[in-house]
Amino acid sequence: MEGVKRTFSNRAAFTNARDLLLEGESVEIAVRGQSMLPFFQSGSKILLRPIAKEDFKVGRVVLAESAPGKFVVHRIHRLEGNRVVLLGDGNLVGTETMPREKVYGVVDCGRIHLLLAALWRMMRPLRRYPLAILRRISPK
């Protein structure tokens, strides 16, 4: 007998993920949307582990709660004292800023991923062109 497949809203899934991360558990979750193109397409599965103090570095991909019940999986763009500024790889503008305690999990990305992401961040003014193509060919 096959297991039952359940689908949860992003809010419910991320709320549950946050709670598990706060309990010290790692969580696998599928991302939705195009805000992390080209590194994560909609439907990509990521493994989040609880965040540690040493994980607060520019370039890390994290799960954060930007407003009550509003979660994002975005990359750390800047650190401003006790605040974290996030920006999705697929976004040209529109950052989210929150206190460090609202960041719950981190994705362990390999060295190659982090290197390519650093190059992608440097291309920010020019990445609108490859993003336009990727958005047309990627699942929504």
Side-chain angles (χ1 to χ4, degrees), residues 13-43:
F14 283 124
T15 298
N16 190 38
R18 176 202 58 201
D19 294 346
L20 290 169
L21 289 163
L22 287 171
E23 292 174 9
E25 302 278 334
S26 291
V27 179
E28 183 179 86
I29 197 158
V31 295
R32 292 195 181 137
Q34 297 181 333
S35 70
M36 284 302 288
L37 284 174
F39 295 99
F40 302 110
Q41 292 185 4
S42 189

Side-chain angles (χ1 to χ4, degrees), residues 42-133:
S42 189
S44 294
K45 290 189 178 174
I46 58 170
L47 181 63
L48 293 157
R49 67 167 171 77
I51 194 148
K53 185 178 178 181
E54 59 272 9
D55 293 321
F56 285 96
K57 295 178 183 171
V58 171
R60 297 294 173 109
V61 177
V62 297
L63 169 68
E65 192 171 10
S66 59
K70 183 176 184 257
F71 296 90
V72 294
V73 175
H74 283 168
R75 198 173 298 277
I76 296 177
H77 180 62
R78 254 185 347 262
L79 297 168
E80 299 174 343
N82 192 37
R83 300 189 68 72
V84 179
V85 180
L86 305 180
L87 175 68
D89 292 333
N91 297 341
L92 299 172
V93 295
T95 59
E96 300 93 3
T97 304
M98 73 275 316
R100 287 181 187 231
E101 59 267 11
K102 292 294 183 177
V103 179
Y104 303 108
V106 63
V107 178
D108 284 321
C109 301
R111 288 182 188 165
I112 298 295
H113 175 109
L114 293 172
L115 174 64
L116 292 172
L119 293 171
W120 183 251
R121 285 193 320 274
M122 287 189 294
M123 288 179 49
R124 189 169 174 203
L126 302 173
R127 63 188 192 193
R128 76 178 61 245
Y129 304 108
L131 279 172
I133 295 167

